[in-house]
Structures are given as C-alpha cells and as structure tokens.
Amino acid sequence: IGGINTVVLLVSSLMMALAVHYAKLGRRKHIIVFLSLTAALGATSALLLPLTFRPIVWMGVIAISLVSSYVMPLRRWLFEL
C-alpha cells in the first residue's frame, strides 16, 4: 500500500504541474480538470495513509501526539505553581 500511495502522490504532483502549465497558457478548462484531479488524488492519498502504518505504530503516533498536546503542558502548569 505504501508503494501505491507513493505513485498516487507522484501523479498528483504531475497533475499540479500540468495545472500550472495550463494556467500560464490561459486554458481555463484544462486548469479546472487538472486541479480537480490533483484534489481527488490528494484525498485518495489521505485515505491510504493510515493503511500504510501497522496498527501498533499508528497507536504509538497517536499516543505521542496526545502526550505532547495535553500531558506536557499540564505537567508544566502543575509544577509552576
């Protein structure tokens, strides 16, 4: 799945580059098509991302995020009193 996600991101980058190219040429229909494809591929990549991690790694990422967001500021606040 990680390889698929890589391909999706590379194709998404190509679509964005084509959108910029057609923007310079002033072709509005092409811009809309390629920006829409870029957005669709970006959404696909976002949906595939959690599947690329093993569940235990994903839980570790969430745990680190929660500790850094809530526990560390609370600890600083408690010990400053």
Side-chain angles (χ1 to χ4, degrees):
I1 291 181
I4 294 170
N5 199 20
T6 300
V7 171
V8 168
L9 288 172
L10 288 171
V11 173
S12 174
S13 296
L14 174 64
M15 296 297 112
M16 188 63 199
L18 288 171
V20 169
H21 171 72
Y22 284 114
K24 290 178 181 178
L25 296 177
R27 295 188 180 166
R28 188 176 176 92
K29 288 183 183 179
H30 287 87
I31 298 167
I32 292 169
V33 167
F34 287 114
L35 284 179
S36 298
L37 288 171
T38 301
L41 289 168
T44 302
S45 175
L47 292 174
L48 288 175
L49 186 62
L51 300 176
T52 61
F53 294 106
R54 299 222 180 253
I56 192 72
V57 174
W58 189 248
M59 288 171 42
V61 169
I62 292 171
I64 290 169
S65 174
L66 289 173
V67 166
S68 65
S69 297
Y70 297 106
V71 175
M72 296 304 285
L74 181 62
R75 193 181 97 186
R76 276 188 231 118
W77 181 75
L78 286 173
F79 288 110
E80 285 179 1
L81 294 177

